[in-house]
């Protein structure tokens, strides 16, 4: 598995993930299904694309973003290009549930273990 540890890890930012949950996640549903992307609030209608299309999103490769790996609960600061490289190198059997967003939280890209990305506001 391609490691993502070469990038700046954000250690003390649980408030940032809480802010993300407050904005996008139905907490009651989250307790039932366990994954934030599967618990998006009903007013959000994400666009679903194949994972391979992440590189075609209109985000500059050098743009600094937050990248949250939900399964290991690790938040990173990284460029969009680094995340794209990471996602493209995942093996088909590797499960990932991750979120890519900037500080404004006006948009989010969820990378799911179902070989799809869910885009809100991008």
């Amino acid at each position: 598995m391609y490691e993502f540890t070469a990038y700046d890890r954000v250690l003390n930012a649980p408030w940032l993930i809480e802010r993300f949950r407050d904005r996008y996640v139905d907490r009651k549903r989250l307790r039932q299904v366990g994954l934030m992307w599967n618990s998006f609030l009903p007013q959000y209608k994400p666009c679903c694309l194949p994972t391979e299309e992440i590189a075609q999103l209109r985000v500059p490769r050098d743009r600094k973003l937050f990248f949250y790996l939900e399964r290991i609960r690790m938040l990173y600061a990284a460029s969009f290009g680094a995340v794209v490289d990471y996602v493209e190198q995942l093996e088909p059997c590797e499960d990932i549930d991750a979120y890519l967003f900037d500080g404004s939280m006006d948009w989010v890209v969820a990378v799911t273990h179902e070989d799809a990305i869910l885009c809100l506001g991008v």
Side-chain angles (χ1 to χ4, degrees):
M1 179 177 174
Y2 178 67
E3 294 293 324
F4 199 74
T5 57
Y7 303 93
D8 296 332
R9 191 167 75 183
V10 180
L11 294 175
N12 289 321
W15 60 270
L16 190 61
I17 300 305
E18 284 304 308
R19 196 173 128 218
F20 179 86
R21 285 186 186 120
D22 287 343
R23 178 150 187 175
Y24 289 107
V25 177
D26 178 337
R27 289 179 184 262
K28 183 178 179 184
R29 180 156 170 75
L30 180 62
R31 285 190 297 276
Q32 296 168 346
V33 298
L35 295 169
M36 291 190 298
W37 65 263
N38 206 12
S39 306
F40 282 148
L41 290 166
Q43 67 261 32
Y44 296 111
K45 306 287 188 236
C47 172
C48 184
L49 301 169
T51 303
E52 303 82 48
E53 293 189 25
I54 192 168
Q56 278 74 52
L57 296 177
R58 289 173 281 158
V59 179
R61 284 188 62 86
D62 62 346
R63 182 146 181 211
K64 285 294 200 179
L65 306 165
F66 294 107
F67 185 52
Y68 181 64
L69 296 167
E70 186 173 20
R71 290 178 182 260
I72 60 172
R73 297 177 185 198
M74 193 63 62
L75 179 67
Y76 296 90
S79 68
F80 179 69
V83 173
V84 168
D85 293 344
Y86 174 73
V87 170
E88 287 178 341
Q89 293 183 39
L90 289 170
E91 296 294 327
C93 62
E94 291 180 284
D95 285 341
I96 182 175
D97 293 292
Y99 307 87
L100 183 62
F101 56 94
D102 68 4
S104 72
M105 291 190 195
D106 288 339
W107 59 272
V108 61
V109 174
V111 182
T112 76
H113 69 271
E114 294 182 354
D115 296 327
I117 56 174
L118 303 176
C119 304
L120 297 169
V122 174

mmCIF file of all heavy atoms in Angstrom, residues 43-89:
data_model
loop_
_atom_site.group_PDB
_atom_site.id
_atom_site.type_symbol
_atom_site.label_atom_id
_atom_site.label_comp_id
_atom_site.label_asym_id
_atom_site.label_seq_id
_atom_site.Cartn_x
_atom_site.Cartn_y
_atom_site.Cartn_z
ATOM 1 N N GLN A 43 -30.159 17.092 2.655
ATOM 2 C CA GLN A 43 -30.184 18.224 1.726
ATOM 3 C C GLN A 43 -29.016 18.210 0.746
ATOM 4 O O GLN A 43 -29.034 18.890 -0.266
ATOM 5 C CB GLN A 43 -30.231 19.569 2.458
ATOM 6 C CG GLN A 43 -28.986 19.908 3.248
ATOM 7 C CD GLN A 43 -29.147 19.602 4.721
ATOM 8 O OE1 GLN A 43 -29.840 18.674 5.105
ATOM 9 N NE2 GLN A 43 -28.507 20.390 5.551
ATOM 10 N N TYR A 44 -28.003 17.393 1.037
ATOM 11 C CA TYR A 44 -26.859 17.296 0.129
ATOM 12 C C TYR A 44 -27.091 16.163 -0.857
ATOM 13 O O TYR A 44 -27.398 15.043 -0.491
ATOM 14 C CB TYR A 44 -25.566 17.066 0.908
ATOM 15 C CG TYR A 44 -25.231 18.232 1.791
ATOM 16 C CD1 TYR A 44 -25.298 18.121 3.177
ATOM 17 C CD2 TYR A 44 -24.861 19.454 1.249
ATOM 18 C CE1 TYR A 44 -24.994 19.199 3.990
ATOM 19 C CE2 TYR A 44 -24.557 20.535 2.054
ATOM 20 C CZ TYR A 44 -24.623 20.403 3.422
ATOM 21 O OH TYR A 44 -24.334 21.470 4.223
ATOM 22 N N LYS A 45 -26.934 16.488 -2.104
ATOM 23 C CA LYS A 45 -27.101 15.513 -3.188
ATOM 24 C C LYS A 45 -25.759 15.376 -3.899
ATOM 25 O O LYS A 45 -25.485 16.082 -4.874
ATOM 26 C CB LYS A 45 -28.172 15.977 -4.180
ATOM 27 C CG LYS A 45 -29.504 16.317 -3.541
ATOM 28 C CD LYS A 45 -30.238 15.085 -3.107
ATOM 29 C CE LYS A 45 -31.637 15.451 -2.665
ATOM 30 N NZ LYS A 45 -31.968 15.057 -1.351
ATOM 31 N N PRO A 46 -24.894 14.496 -3.432
ATOM 32 C CA PRO A 46 -23.568 14.403 -4.041
ATOM 33 C C PRO A 46 -23.602 13.827 -5.452
ATOM 34 O O PRO A 46 -24.448 13.005 -5.786
ATOM 35 C CB PRO A 46 -22.811 13.471 -3.100
ATOM 36 C CG PRO A 46 -23.842 12.700 -2.377
ATOM 37 C CD PRO A 46 -25.069 13.558 -2.329
ATOM 38 N N CYS A 47 -22.677 14.296 -6.239
ATOM 39 C CA CYS A 47 -22.451 13.749 -7.576
ATOM 40 C C CYS A 47 -21.522 12.548 -7.400
ATOM 41 O O CYS A 47 -20.501 12.643 -6.733
ATOM 42 C CB CYS A 47 -21.795 14.816 -8.443
ATOM 43 S SG CYS A 47 -21.249 14.220 -10.042
ATOM 44 N N CYS A 48 -21.898 11.421 -7.954
ATOM 45 C CA CYS A 48 -21.120 10.194 -7.808
ATOM 46 C C CYS A 48 -20.336 9.943 -9.100
ATOM 47 O O CYS A 48 -20.917 9.919 -10.190
ATOM 48 C CB CYS A 48 -22.049 9.023 -7.514
ATOM 49 S SG CYS A 48 -21.191 7.480 -7.207
ATOM 50 N N LEU A 49 -19.025 9.769 -8.961
ATOM 51 C CA LEU A 49 -18.140 9.518 -10.098
ATOM 52 C C LEU A 49 -17.232 8.338 -9.796
ATOM 53 O O LEU A 49 -16.961 8.052 -8.628
ATOM 54 C CB LEU A 49 -17.260 10.748 -10.366
ATOM 55 C CG LEU A 49 -17.952 12.068 -10.675
ATOM 56 C CD1 LEU A 49 -16.945 13.203 -10.647
ATOM 57 C CD2 LEU A 49 -18.646 11.985 -12.010
ATOM 58 N N PRO A 50 -16.706 7.685 -10.822
ATOM 59 C CA PRO A 50 -15.709 6.636 -10.582
ATOM 60 C C PRO A 50 -14.451 7.248 -9.946
ATOM 61 O O PRO A 50 -14.095 8.389 -10.256
ATOM 62 C CB PRO A 50 -15.392 6.090 -11.970
ATOM 63 C CG PRO A 50 -16.477 6.573 -12.856
ATOM 64 C CD PRO A 50 -17.030 7.818 -12.233
ATOM 65 N N THR A 51 -13.812 6.512 -9.093
ATOM 66 C CA THR A 51 -12.624 6.999 -8.407
ATOM 67 C C THR A 51 -11.569 7.505 -9.383
ATOM 68 O O THR A 51 -10.881 8.489 -9.110
ATOM 69 C CB THR A 51 -12.034 5.884 -7.512
ATOM 70 O OG1 THR A 51 -13.046 5.458 -6.607
ATOM 71 C CG2 THR A 51 -10.850 6.375 -6.712
ATOM 72 N N GLU A 52 -11.452 6.865 -10.540
ATOM 73 C CA GLU A 52 -10.434 7.245 -11.515
ATOM 74 C C GLU A 52 -10.589 8.687 -11.994
ATOM 75 O O GLU A 52 -9.661 9.268 -12.546
ATOM 76 C CB GLU A 52 -10.478 6.332 -12.750
ATOM 77 C CG GLU A 52 -10.323 4.863 -12.466
ATOM 78 C CD GLU A 52 -11.635 4.204 -12.033
ATOM 79 O OE1 GLU A 52 -12.680 4.401 -12.675
ATOM 80 O OE2 GLU A 52 -11.592 3.490 -11.018
ATOM 81 N N GLU A 53 -11.748 9.280 -11.808
ATOM 82 C CA GLU A 53 -11.986 10.631 -12.295
ATOM 83 C C GLU A 53 -11.578 11.718 -11.306
ATOM 84 O O GLU A 53 -11.766 12.909 -11.575
ATOM 85 C CB GLU A 53 -13.449 10.791 -12.710
ATOM 86 C CG GLU A 53 -13.787 9.943 -13.923
ATOM 87 C CD GLU A 53 -15.159 10.227 -14.487
ATOM 88 O OE1 GLU A 53 -15.677 11.351 -14.295
ATOM 89 O OE2 GLU A 53 -15.702 9.315 -15.134
ATOM 90 N N ILE A 54 -10.978 11.341 -10.189
ATOM 91 C CA ILE A 54 -10.581 12.347 -9.200
ATOM 92 C C ILE A 54 -9.602 13.359 -9.788
ATOM 93 O O ILE A 54 -9.653 14.533 -9.477
ATOM 94 C CB ILE A 54 -10.018 11.692 -7.913
ATOM 95 C CG1 ILE A 54 -9.893 12.748 -6.801
ATOM 96 C CG2 ILE A 54 -8.714 10.965 -8.179
ATOM 97 C CD1 ILE A 54 -9.620 12.186 -5.438
ATOM 98 N N ALA A 55 -8.721 12.925 -10.680
ATOM 99 C CA ALA A 55 -7.741 13.837 -11.277
ATOM 100 C C ALA A 55 -8.391 14.872 -12.189
ATOM 101 O O ALA A 55 -7.798 15.917 -12.457
ATOM 102 C CB ALA A 55 -6.692 13.039 -12.053
ATOM 103 N N GLN A 56 -9.597 14.612 -12.671
ATOM 104 C CA GLN A 56 -10.278 15.540 -13.574
ATOM 105 C C GLN A 56 -11.082 16.616 -12.846
ATOM 106 O O GLN A 56 -11.657 17.495 -13.488
ATOM 107 C CB GLN A 56 -11.211 14.783 -14.532
ATOM 108 C CG GLN A 56 -10.493 14.187 -15.729
ATOM 109 C CD GLN A 56 -9.680 12.965 -15.346
ATOM 110 O OE1 GLN A 56 -10.188 12.061 -14.726
ATOM 111 N NE2 GLN A 56 -8.419 12.961 -15.730
ATOM 112 N N LEU A 57 -11.142 16.553 -11.527
ATOM 113 C CA LEU A 57 -11.869 17.585 -10.786
ATOM 114 C C LEU A 57 -11.167 18.927 -10.979
ATOM 115 O O LEU A 57 -9.944 18.984 -11.124
ATOM 116 C CB LEU A 57 -11.948 17.231 -9.305
ATOM 117 C CG LEU A 57 -12.731 15.965 -8.970
ATOM 118 C CD1 LEU A 57 -12.666 15.689 -7.477
ATOM 119 C CD2 LEU A 57 -14.173 16.077 -9.428
ATOM 120 N N ARG A 58 -11.938 19.984 -10.978
ATOM 121 C CA ARG A 58 -11.380 21.320 -11.224
ATOM 122 C C ARG A 58 -10.764 21.907 -9.960
ATOM 123 O O ARG A 58 -11.200 22.932 -9.447
ATOM 124 C CB ARG A 58 -12.459 22.224 -11.777
ATOM 125 C CG ARG A 58 -12.844 21.855 -13.202
ATOM 126 C CD ARG A 58 -14.012 22.642 -13.683
ATOM 127 N NE ARG A 58 -15.199 22.009 -13.090
ATOM 128 C CZ ARG A 58 -16.356 22.572 -12.913
ATOM 129 N NH1 ARG A 58 -16.546 23.800 -13.267
ATOM 130 N NH2 ARG A 58 -17.364 21.921 -12.380
ATOM 131 N N VAL A 59 -9.721 21.238 -9.473
ATOM 132 C CA VAL A 59 -8.971 21.702 -8.313
ATOM 133 C C VAL A 59 -7.498 21.734 -8.732
ATOM 134 O O VAL A 59 -6.988 20.731 -9.230
ATOM 135 C CB VAL A 59 -9.155 20.744 -7.107
ATOM 136 C CG1 VAL A 59 -8.352 21.223 -5.914
ATOM 137 C CG2 VAL A 59 -10.635 20.611 -6.748
ATOM 138 N N PRO A 60 -6.813 22.865 -8.548
ATOM 139 C CA PRO A 60 -5.396 22.916 -8.912
ATOM 140 C C PRO A 60 -4.580 21.901 -8.106
ATOM 141 O O PRO A 60 -4.803 21.717 -6.902
ATOM 142 C CB PRO A 60 -4.978 24.345 -8.555
ATOM 143 C CG PRO A 60 -6.257 25.124 -8.508
ATOM 144 C CD PRO A 60 -7.316 24.152 -8.079
ATOM 145 N N ARG A 61 -3.642 21.235 -8.757
ATOM 146 C CA ARG A 61 -2.838 20.191 -8.098
ATOM 147 C C ARG A 61 -2.042 20.726 -6.911
ATOM 148 O O ARG A 61 -1.776 19.995 -5.962
ATOM 149 C CB ARG A 61 -1.906 19.525 -9.092
ATOM 150 C CG ARG A 61 -2.616 18.553 -10.013
ATOM 151 C CD ARG A 61 -1.653 17.753 -10.871
ATOM 152 N NE ARG A 61 -0.745 16.905 -10.127
ATOM 153 C CZ ARG A 61 -1.002 15.659 -9.719
ATOM 154 N NH1 ARG A 61 -2.175 15.111 -9.987
ATOM 155 N NH2 ARG A 61 -0.107 14.967 -9.056
ATOM 156 N N ASP A 62 -1.676 21.997 -6.925
ATOM 157 C CA ASP A 62 -0.860 22.542 -5.835
ATOM 158 C C ASP A 62 -1.700 23.146 -4.702
ATOM 159 O O ASP A 62 -1.156 23.645 -3.725
ATOM 160 C CB ASP A 62 0.131 23.573 -6.361
ATOM 161 C CG ASP A 62 -0.543 24.782 -6.995
ATOM 162 O OD1 ASP A 62 -1.769 24.733 -7.271
ATOM 163 O OD2 ASP A 62 0.162 25.777 -7.231
ATOM 164 N N ARG A 63 -3.008 23.074 -4.809
ATOM 165 C CA ARG A 63 -3.881 23.643 -3.779
ATOM 166 C C ARG A 63 -3.765 22.853 -2.489
ATOM 167 O O ARG A 63 -3.891 21.638 -2.460
ATOM 168 C CB ARG A 63 -5.323 23.643 -4.254
ATOM 169 C CG ARG A 63 -6.258 24.259 -3.243
ATOM 170 C CD ARG A 63 -7.357 24.981 -3.904
ATOM 171 N NE ARG A 63 -8.219 25.586 -2.908
ATOM 172 C CZ ARG A 63 -9.506 25.766 -3.091
ATOM 173 N NH1 ARG A 63 -10.066 25.419 -4.219
ATOM 174 N NH2 ARG A 63 -10.228 26.322 -2.151
ATOM 175 N N LYS A 64 -3.508 23.554 -1.374
ATOM 176 C CA LYS A 64 -3.394 22.923 -0.056
ATOM 177 C C LYS A 64 -4.786 22.648 0.504
ATOM 178 O O LYS A 64 -5.650 23.527 0.494
ATOM 179 C CB LYS A 64 -2.627 23.810 0.922
ATOM 180 C CG LYS A 64 -1.157 23.829 0.659
ATOM 181 C CD LYS A 64 -0.582 22.472 0.930
ATOM 182 C CE LYS A 64 0.902 22.561 1.146
ATOM 183 N NZ LYS A 64 1.473 21.274 1.443
ATOM 184 N N LEU A 65 -4.975 21.423 0.980
ATOM 185 C CA LEU A 65 -6.276 20.966 1.461
ATOM 186 C C LEU A 65 -6.112 20.116 2.702
ATOM 187 O O LEU A 65 -5.005 19.763 3.092
ATOM 188 C CB LEU A 65 -6.955 20.130 0.374
ATOM 189 C CG LEU A 65 -7.092 20.784 -0.990
ATOM 190 C CD1 LEU A 65 -7.425 19.746 -2.038
ATOM 191 C CD2 LEU A 65 -8.152 21.852 -0.941
ATOM 192 N N PHE A 66 -7.247 19.750 3.274
ATOM 193 C CA PHE A 66 -7.262 18.764 4.354
ATOM 194 C C PHE A 66 -7.682 17.432 3.756
ATOM 195 O O PHE A 66 -8.584 17.364 2.920
ATOM 196 C CB PHE A 66 -8.247 19.173 5.455
ATOM 197 C CG PHE A 66 -7.839 20.414 6.172
ATOM 198 C CD1 PHE A 66 -8.519 21.608 5.967
ATOM 199 C CD2 PHE A 66 -6.761 20.402 7.053
ATOM 200 C CE1 PHE A 66 -8.144 22.766 6.618
ATOM 201 C CE2 PHE A 66 -6.375 21.557 7.708
ATOM 202 C CZ PHE A 66 -7.067 22.738 7.490
ATOM 203 N N PHE A 67 -7.039 16.375 4.204
ATOM 204 C CA PHE A 67 -7.326 15.020 3.742
ATOM 205 C C PHE A 67 -7.507 14.160 4.985
ATOM 206 O O PHE A 67 -6.571 13.958 5.749
ATOM 207 C CB PHE A 67 -6.173 14.508 2.883
ATOM 208 C CG PHE A 67 -6.402 13.160 2.259
ATOM 209 C CD1 PHE A 67 -7.540 12.884 1.530
ATOM 210 C CD2 PHE A 67 -5.445 12.167 2.394
ATOM 211 C CE1 PHE A 67 -7.734 11.637 0.936
ATOM 212 C CE2 PHE A 67 -5.618 10.923 1.805
ATOM 213 C CZ PHE A 67 -6.765 10.657 1.078
ATOM 214 N N TYR A 68 -8.743 13.708 5.213
ATOM 215 C CA TYR A 68 -9.071 12.945 6.423
ATOM 216 C C TYR A 68 -9.334 11.493 6.059
ATOM 217 O O TYR A 68 -10.248 11.191 5.281
ATOM 218 C CB TYR A 68 -10.306 13.547 7.101
ATOM 219 C CG TYR A 68 -10.704 12.838 8.362
ATOM 220 C CD1 TYR A 68 -9.866 12.827 9.474
ATOM 221 C CD2 TYR A 68 -11.924 12.171 8.459
ATOM 222 C CE1 TYR A 68 -10.233 12.173 10.643
ATOM 223 C CE2 TYR A 68 -12.308 11.520 9.623
ATOM 224 C CZ TYR A 68 -11.446 11.528 10.708
ATOM 225 O OH TYR A 68 -11.813 10.876 11.862
ATOM 226 N N LEU A 69 -8.539 10.602 6.616
ATOM 227 C CA LEU A 69 -8.715 9.160 6.439
ATOM 228 C C LEU A 69 -9.577 8.668 7.595
ATOM 229 O O LEU A 69 -9.107 8.569 8.740
ATOM 230 C CB LEU A 69 -7.362 8.456 6.387
ATOM 231 C CG LEU A 69 -6.487 8.849 5.193
ATOM 232 C CD1 LEU A 69 -5.060 8.364 5.377
ATOM 233 C CD2 LEU A 69 -7.074 8.305 3.914
ATOM 234 N N GLU A 70 -10.831 8.377 7.293
ATOM 235 C CA GLU A 70 -11.802 8.079 8.348
ATOM 236 C C GLU A 70 -11.498 6.789 9.098
ATOM 237 O O GLU A 70 -11.660 6.721 10.314
ATOM 238 C CB GLU A 70 -13.208 8.021 7.750
ATOM 239 C CG GLU A 70 -14.298 7.856 8.788
ATOM 240 C CD GLU A 70 -15.689 7.978 8.222
ATOM 241 O OE1 GLU A 70 -15.867 7.819 6.994
ATOM 242 O OE2 GLU A 70 -16.608 8.226 9.005
ATOM 243 N N ARG A 71 -11.067 5.754 8.410
ATOM 244 C CA ARG A 71 -10.848 4.461 9.067
ATOM 245 C C ARG A 71 -9.750 4.517 10.124
ATOM 246 O O ARG A 71 -9.832 3.823 11.137
ATOM 247 C CB ARG A 71 -10.529 3.385 8.040
ATOM 248 C CG ARG A 71 -11.724 3.031 7.189
ATOM 249 C CD ARG A 71 -11.370 1.988 6.143
ATOM 250 N NE ARG A 71 -12.513 1.698 5.312
ATOM 251 C CZ ARG A 71 -13.295 0.641 5.475
ATOM 252 N NH1 ARG A 71 -13.049 -0.220 6.427
ATOM 253 N NH2 ARG A 71 -14.316 0.459 4.679
ATOM 254 N N ILE A 72 -8.723 5.326 9.894
ATOM 255 C CA ILE A 72 -7.638 5.429 10.886
ATOM 256 C C ILE A 72 -7.704 6.748 11.656
ATOM 257 O O ILE A 72 -6.852 7.025 12.485
ATOM 258 C CB ILE A 72 -6.247 5.240 10.238
ATOM 259 C CG1 ILE A 72 -5.985 6.309 9.173
ATOM 260 C CG2 ILE A 72 -6.097 3.840 9.691
ATOM 261 C CD1 ILE A 72 -4.556 6.304 8.637
ATOM 262 N N ARG A 73 -8.697 7.567 11.335
ATOM 263 C CA ARG A 73 -8.936 8.843 12.014
ATOM 264 C C ARG A 73 -7.693 9.730 12.022
ATOM 265 O O ARG A 73 -7.289 10.247 13.062
ATOM 266 C CB ARG A 73 -9.451 8.612 13.419
ATOM 267 C CG ARG A 73 -10.775 7.913 13.395
ATOM 268 C CD ARG A 73 -11.305 7.604 14.723
ATOM 269 N NE ARG A 73 -12.520 6.819 14.514
ATOM 270 C CZ ARG A 73 -13.426 6.640 15.412
ATOM 271 N NH1 ARG A 73 -13.298 7.167 16.598
ATOM 272 N NH2 ARG A 73 -14.489 5.927 15.141
ATOM 273 N N MET A 74 -7.147 9.895 10.835
ATOM 274 C CA MET A 74 -5.958 10.717 10.698
ATOM 275 C C MET A 74 -6.238 11.845 9.714
ATOM 276 O O MET A 74 -6.784 11.616 8.642
ATOM 277 C CB MET A 74 -4.792 9.871 10.194
ATOM 278 C CG MET A 74 -3.463 10.548 10.310
ATOM 279 S SD MET A 74 -2.958 10.929 12.005
ATOM 280 C CE MET A 74 -2.868 9.305 12.708
ATOM 281 N N LEU A 75 -5.874 13.049 10.112
ATOM 282 C CA LEU A 75 -6.087 14.235 9.295
ATOM 283 C C LEU A 75 -4.740 14.757 8.816
ATOM 284 O O LEU A 75 -3.808 14.905 9.604
ATOM 285 C CB LEU A 75 -6.802 15.311 10.113
ATOM 286 C CG LEU A 75 -7.095 16.625 9.419
ATOM 287 C CD1 LEU A 75 -8.126 16.425 8.309
ATOM 288 C CD2 LEU A 75 -7.605 17.644 10.428
ATOM 289 N N TYR A 76 -4.645 15.016 7.518
ATOM 290 C CA TYR A 76 -3.421 15.513 6.919
ATOM 291 C C TYR A 76 -3.671 16.841 6.236
ATOM 292 O O TYR A 76 -4.771 17.098 5.752
ATOM 293 C CB TYR A 76 -2.901 14.536 5.853
ATOM 294 C CG TYR A 76 -2.510 13.196 6.379
ATOM 295 C CD1 TYR A 76 -3.432 12.163 6.449
ATOM 296 C CD2 TYR A 76 -1.209 12.946 6.798
ATOM 297 C CE1 TYR A 76 -3.074 10.916 6.933
ATOM 298 C CE2 TYR A 76 -0.832 11.706 7.276
ATOM 299 C CZ TYR A 76 -1.775 10.697 7.344
ATOM 300 O OH TYR A 76 -1.418 9.461 7.814
ATOM 301 N N ALA A 77 -2.632 17.664 6.160
ATOM 302 C CA ALA A 77 -2.607 18.830 5.288
ATOM 303 C C ALA A 77 -1.779 18.403 4.088
ATOM 304 O O ALA A 77 -0.654 17.931 4.247
ATOM 305 C CB ALA A 77 -1.964 20.011 5.999
ATOM 306 N N ALA A 78 -2.345 18.528 2.913
ATOM 307 C CA ALA A 78 -1.652 18.046 1.713
ATOM 308 C C ALA A 78 -2.127 18.813 0.502
ATOM 309 O O ALA A 78 -3.155 19.484 0.540
ATOM 310 C CB ALA A 78 -1.914 16.555 1.523
ATOM 311 N N SER A 79 -1.401 18.682 -0.569
ATOM 312 C CA SER A 79 -1.840 19.279 -1.827
ATOM 313 C C SER A 79 -2.819 18.330 -2.515
ATOM 314 O O SER A 79 -2.791 17.112 -2.291
ATOM 315 C CB SER A 79 -0.653 19.547 -2.746
ATOM 316 O OG SER A 79 -0.091 18.324 -3.176
ATOM 317 N N PHE A 80 -3.654 18.884 -3.366
ATOM 318 C CA PHE A 80 -4.589 18.065 -4.124
ATOM 319 C C PHE A 80 -3.828 17.041 -4.964
ATOM 320 O O PHE A 80 -4.221 15.882 -5.057
ATOM 321 C CB PHE A 80 -5.480 18.946 -5.005
ATOM 322 C CG PHE A 80 -6.459 18.160 -5.829
ATOM 323 C CD1 PHE A 80 -7.521 17.500 -5.236
ATOM 324 C CD2 PHE A 80 -6.310 18.077 -7.208
ATOM 325 C CE1 PHE A 80 -8.424 16.763 -5.994
ATOM 326 C CE2 PHE A 80 -7.209 17.350 -7.975
ATOM 327 C CZ PHE A 80 -8.265 16.695 -7.366
ATOM 328 N N GLY A 81 -2.722 17.437 -5.557
ATOM 329 C CA GLY A 81 -1.922 16.531 -6.365
ATOM 330 C C GLY A 81 -1.419 15.336 -5.579
ATOM 331 O O GLY A 81 -1.421 14.209 -6.084
ATOM 332 N N ALA A 82 -1.006 15.550 -4.337
ATOM 333 C CA ALA A 82 -0.532 14.441 -3.496
ATOM 334 C C ALA A 82 -1.662 13.461 -3.215
ATOM 335 O O ALA A 82 -1.460 12.247 -3.223
ATOM 336 C CB ALA A 82 0.047 14.975 -2.190
ATOM 337 N N VAL A 83 -2.856 13.975 -2.984
ATOM 338 C CA VAL A 83 -4.003 13.108 -2.729
ATOM 339 C C VAL A 83 -4.355 12.319 -3.988
ATOM 340 O O VAL A 83 -4.608 11.113 -3.929
ATOM 341 C CB VAL A 83 -5.211 13.922 -2.219
ATOM 342 C CG1 VAL A 83 -6.452 13.046 -2.120
ATOM 343 C CG2 VAL A 83 -4.895 14.568 -0.879
ATOM 344 N N VAL A 84 -4.362 12.986 -5.129
ATOM 345 C CA VAL A 84 -4.645 12.303 -6.394
ATOM 346 C C VAL A 84 -3.641 11.175 -6.610
ATOM 347 O O VAL A 84 -4.019 10.045 -6.942
ATOM 348 C CB VAL A 84 -4.632 13.287 -7.580
ATOM 349 C CG1 VAL A 84 -4.624 12.548 -8.914
ATOM 350 C CG2 VAL A 84 -5.822 14.223 -7.502
ATOM 351 N N ASP A 85 -2.351 11.452 -6.401
ATOM 352 C CA ASP A 85 -1.312 10.429 -6.562
ATOM 353 C C ASP A 85 -1.568 9.241 -5.631
ATOM 354 O O ASP A 85 -1.441 8.087 -6.030
ATOM 355 C CB ASP A 85 0.074 11.001 -6.297
ATOM 356 C CG ASP A 85 0.493 12.028 -7.336
ATOM 357 O OD1 ASP A 85 -0.138 12.095 -8.421
ATOM 358 O OD2 ASP A 85 1.444 12.783 -7.048
ATOM 359 N N TYR A 86 -1.936 9.529 -4.397
ATOM 360 C CA TYR A 86 -2.220 8.486 -3.416
ATOM 361 C C TYR A 86 -3.397 7.617 -3.865
ATOM 362 O O TYR A 86 -3.310 6.391 -3.874
ATOM 363 C CB TYR A 86 -2.510 9.136 -2.060
ATOM 364 C CG TYR A 86 -2.969 8.180 -0.992
ATOM 365 C CD1 TYR A 86 -2.083 7.292 -0.391
ATOM 366 C CD2 TYR A 86 -4.296 8.156 -0.578
ATOM 367 C CE1 TYR A 86 -2.504 6.416 0.597
ATOM 368 C CE2 TYR A 86 -4.725 7.288 0.407
ATOM 369 C CZ TYR A 86 -3.820 6.428 0.991
ATOM 370 O OH TYR A 86 -4.250 5.562 1.964
ATOM 371 N N VAL A 87 -4.482 8.257 -4.257
ATOM 372 C CA VAL A 87 -5.687 7.532 -4.661
ATOM 373 C C VAL A 87 -5.417 6.696 -5.912
ATOM 374 O O VAL A 87 -5.861 5.549 -6.015
ATOM 375 C CB VAL A 87 -6.874 8.501 -4.865
ATOM 376 C CG1 VAL A 87 -8.061 7.812 -5.508
ATOM 377 C CG2 VAL A 87 -7.282 9.126 -3.528
ATOM 378 N N GLU A 88 -4.678 7.246 -6.851
ATOM 379 C CA GLU A 88 -4.382 6.515 -8.088
ATOM 380 C C GLU A 88 -3.496 5.291 -7.854
ATOM 381 O O GLU A 88 -3.522 4.358 -8.652
ATOM 382 C CB GLU A 88 -3.731 7.445 -9.115
ATOM 383 C CG GLU A 88 -4.721 8.431 -9.707
ATOM 384 C CD GLU A 88 -4.089 9.404 -10.691
ATOM 385 O OE1 GLU A 88 -2.842 9.576 -10.675
ATOM 386 O OE2 GLU A 88 -4.841 10.001 -11.475
ATOM 387 N N GLN A 89 -2.735 5.276 -6.770
ATOM 388 C CA GLN A 89 -1.848 4.145 -6.496
ATOM 389 C C GLN A 89 -2.464 3.086 -5.585
ATOM 390 O O GLN A 89 -1.821 2.076 -5.297
ATOM 391 C CB GLN A 89 -0.530 4.650 -5.899
ATOM 392 C CG GLN A 89 0.255 5.461 -6.903
ATOM 393 C CD GLN A 89 1.592 5.909 -6.363
ATOM 394 O OE1 GLN A 89 2.263 5.171 -5.674
ATOM 395 N NE2 GLN A 89 1.972 7.132 -6.684
#
